[in-house]
Amino acid sequence: MAKDLTGMIISIVFVFAVILVSEILRKVYKLGNEFTRKFVHIGVSHWWIAAMFLISDMRYAVIPPVLFVLLNYYSYKKNLFKSMERQENSDLGTVYFPISLIILILLTWKGGLLGGDYRYLGALGTLVMGYGDGFAAIIGKNFGKQKYNIFKSCKSLEGSVTMLVFSTLVSAVLLSIFRGFDIYNLRTSIIIAVVATLAEAFTPFGADNITVPAITTLTAYYMTVLQSRAMFLFIYMACIGFLLSFLIALAAYRRKSLTLDGSVGATFLGTVIYATSGLFGSALMILFFISSSLLSHFKKSLKAKVVRQFEKTGHRDIFQVFANGGIGLIYSVLFYITKNPSFLLLLGISFAAANADTWATELGILNRSNPVSLRTLKRVEKGTSGAVSLLGTTAALLGAGFIGIFTALGFKLVDIRSLGFTYIQSFAMVTLGGFAGSLIDSILGATVQGVYYSDELEGETEKRIYNGKPTLLVRGFRLINNDIVNFLSIALSSALFARMI
């Protein structure tokens, strides 16, 4: 009891010492309020380290944060400690932090809700919040240029990356000290850091001082105490997939290759595909996306007149993302469940079909002569749905072959021994399947896709409304647009080859 009482007093003195130093820095050295606030934020997070070694009884451990909830709220109202209060846009962040400490004590202290002595996991959550959020705010404030808004809270990409880096470092150091250094704990640190960064980004009004420590600690508990290796690997792969997909989608959004909702869809698609089929599936998706995005900008001025007829151009939205990648996502998940490599082959066909159709569209427009309609077998205007040209057909075959080459190479690199086909056969099936998908797309475009007439264009278009004016349906079905045609053509082409495997 005497030891716990002494430890409690020392820990309280420690916090006041941090606040006192911050006041000196503000008054004597004229340091800015944002710096002193984060100095207190980071410094006070070390209270947990002192408490976990000096206080054994949870009842004594909880007293200091309860005291500081009351004291910080008084300071918030009366601006008592100027070095730790925001001068504008103030929130209750300084009050939320000690509340989070109370929650973590009740969870992790011996006799707590988690049922064991997990104080080191409480330290992990506290220090991730201290260092991660503290340095994220400093870097974001001074160097953040790539801004984004979530729930009216302005964040920066630079700040979020800083949060990710410091959260990884803090987690890796603490897990290495208390659980030993190995690859499992290193991967766990990455998972914890991703979760903490997302919690910080999506929590508004300073409440991240509660959500980040609690969620981080519970994630660490789940991954280190409860979790099986198989599920751990899935979560780890999902986190890596999320990071890679987010960065690629962000770059595409900046280059106006994706809309905002399209970038969200692409991030989700990339996360799940990486988690279920690893680098194999992700590489095919990325190759399709990069090649099709580059071609969409190739000789853009020459294609401008024809592109006006298309329902969607340039920016891919979330429907286009899933129309082109949704079937591949299904095959990726099926591979993860069954471990049958045939689903990887079908995944390759699905992206080959999407790639073939995109290459045919982007390059077929540049054909010197007008294309031939598959419906009437007569020449029609460029951009007409269901029309083919020599250049477009050749581009479709090359686009499918491009994915076919990397599919075969992927099978070689991942060294799956239970393949029921050779690498050459995989190349041939993916190329032919992808090319077939492009042909099916053209047939569906000529027969069932909704096509409209625009008075303003004086011709056909895929758009129901052009420049605010409704267009007239001249053939096909109103419910079937280009996204549905893409989805169906990919599904049908891969289904045809599924019967051959």
Side-chain angles (χ1 to χ4, degrees):
M1 176 177 176
K3 179 177 178 294
D4 289 333
L5 181 60
T6 302
M8 182 188 73
I9 294 171
I10 292 174
S11 70
I12 292 174
V13 171
F14 170 78
V15 174
F16 276 114
V18 171
I19 296 174
L20 177 61
V21 171
S22 71
E23 287 291 327
I24 293 173
L25 292 174
R26 183 183 67 84
K27 291 182 177 180
V28 177
Y29 295 98
K30 307 298 182 183
L31 294 179
N33 179 257
E34 189 64 24
F35 177 86
T36 57
R37 283 185 69 255
K38 292 308 171 182
F39 176 85
V40 173
H41 186 79
I42 296 170
V44 168
S45 67
H46 294 86
W47 171 88
W48 190 281
I49 301 298
M52 69 182 288
F53 288 114
L54 297 175
I55 307 173
S56 300
D57 192 323
M58 181 170 59
R59 293 172 297 179
Y60 284 90
V62 83
I63 292 175
V66 168
L67 172 65
F68 281 102
V69 167
L70 301 174
L71 186 62
N72 289 0
Y73 184 73
Y74 182 81
S75 177
Y76 166 77
K77 285 293 188 180
K78 302 297 184 179
N79 200 24
L80 178 62
F81 302 119
K82 293 181 174 58
S83 60
M84 69 179 197
E85 300 296 342
R86 278 197 175 102
Q87 299 305 310
E88 55 184 18
N89 297 323
S90 182
D91 55 46
L92 289 170
T94 55
V95 178
Y96 295 148
F97 200 0
I99 290 176
S100 74
L101 298 180
I102 296 172
I103 294 171
L104 293 185
I105 290 169
L106 296 176
L107 285 172
T108 65
W109 229 261
K110 186 176 181 180
L113 296 175
L114 295 182
D117 189 356
Y118 299 111
R119 283 176 284 182
Y120 72 95
L121 296 181
L124 191 152
T126 304
L127 291 176
V128 160
M129 185 63 203
Y131 280 94
D133 180 69
F135 280 102
I138 293 172
I139 296 299
K141 180 75 172 179
N142 293 283
F143 304 102
K145 295 181 179 179
Q146 306 295 325
K147 304 290 186 180
Y148 63 94
N149 291 285
I150 298 179
F151 302 127
K152 298 183 179 180
S153 295
C154 184
K155 310 281 184 178
S156 71
L157 180 61
E158 293 83 357
S160 294
V161 170
T162 302
M163 177 75 183
L164 180 71
V165 171
F166 275 91
S167 297
T168 303
L169 291 175
V170 168
S171 300
V173 169
L174 285 173
L175 290 181
S176 296
I177 292 173
F178 290 97
R179 297 182 63 89
F181 179 79
D182 57 27
I183 190 65
Y184 182 86
N185 286 328
L186 183 59
R187 288 174 172 174
T188 299
S189 300
I190 295 174
I191 294 172
I192 293 169
V194 170
V195 172
T197 302
L198 290 175
E200 192 274 336
F202 282 90
T203 306
F205 313 125
D208 54 343
N209 282 342
I210 292 179
T211 59
V212 171
I215 292 174
T216 300
T217 294
L218 290 173
T219 301
Y221 174 75
Y222 184 71
M223 299 306 304
T224 59
V225 179
L226 298 181
Q227 194 57 313
S228 68
R229 293 272 172 163
M231 184 57 70
F232 161 80
L233 184 59
F234 175 82
I235 296 175
Y236 170 74
M237 293 290 283
C239 287
I240 297 298
F242 171 79
L243 290 175
L244 295 175
S245 301
F246 174 77
L247 293 174
I248 294 172
L250 178 66
Y253 175 69
R254 296 287 181 186
R255 287 181 56 84
K256 298 184 178 180
S257 295
L258 288 173
T259 62
L260 181 59
D261 64 341
S263 64
V264 172
T267 300
F268 174 82
L269 193 75
T271 298
V272 179
I273 287 180
Y274 192 89
T276 51
S277 58
L279 192 58
F280 182 95
S282 296
L284 298 184
M285 184 188 74
I286 292 170
L287 287 168
F288 154 67
F289 177 73
I290 291 178
S291 66
S292 60
S293 295
L294 290 175
L295 284 182
S296 68
H297 293 284
F298 178 66
K299 294 190 175 182
K300 195 170 184 178
S301 59
L302 294 179
K303 297 186 286 187
K305 182 178 179 181
V306 178
V307 165
R308 291 186 305 166
Q309 300 172 226
F310 297 155
E311 181 183 9
K312 298 173 183 178
T313 59
H315 295 48
R316 291 177 182 267
D317 61 22
I318 192 169
F319 297 105
Q320 289 173 289
V321 168
F322 282 102
N324 287 285
I327 298 298
L329 174 67
I330 293 171
Y331 288 132
S332 183
V333 172
L334 288 174
F335 168 74
Y336 178 79
I337 295 171
T338 65
K339 304 304 178 188
N340 185 344
S342 296
F343 287 116
L344 291 181
L345 184 70
L346 295 175
L347 185 153
I349 291 174
S350 70
F351 279 114
N355 205 51
D357 177 60
T358 304
W359 283 32
T361 301
E362 296 295 344
L363 295 178
I365 296 175
L366 301 175
N367 197 70
R368 291 187 176 181
S369 59
N370 285 340
V372 175
S373 170
L374 293 179
R375 184 173 59 88
T376 64
L377 300 181
K378 295 180 180 180
R379 291 197 179 274
V380 291
E381 293 293 325
K382 292 180 180 180
T384 301
S385 297
V388 296
S389 65
L390 178 60
L391 180 58
T393 303
T394 303
L397 184 60
L398 292 175
F402 177 74
I403 299 297
I405 291 172
F406 284 97
T407 301
L409 181 62
F411 280 125
K412 182 71 173 177
L413 293 177
V414 297
D415 192 28
I416 299 176
R417 299 180 182 181
S418 58
L419 288 175
F421 40 82
T422 66
Y423 303 126
I424 296 298
Q425 287 174 328
S426 69
F427 164 75
M429 285 189 284
V430 169
T431 301
L432 291 175
F435 183 65
S438 177
L439 294 179
I440 292 171
D441 187 280
S442 296
I443 293 171
L444 293 176
T447 56
V448 299
Q449 181 178 346
V451 177
Y452 305 83
Y453 181 84
S454 169
D455 291 328
E456 190 165 344
L457 283 174
E458 296 184 347
E460 293 184 352
T461 177
E462 296 176 355
K463 300 178 180 180
R464 296 182 183 181
I465 297 175
Y466 187 83
N467 279 350
K469 298 179 181 179
T471 54
L472 178 66
L473 180 70
V474 293
R475 69 172 184 272
F477 299 93
R478 189 176 296 274
L479 293 177
I480 300 180
N481 62 8
N482 187 250
D483 290 338
I484 294 177
V485 166
N486 288 342
F487 187 85
L488 290 175
S489 64
I490 294 171
L492 290 172
S493 62
S494 58
L496 287 174
F497 278 81
R499 299 179 61 86
M500 301 171 56
I501 299 175

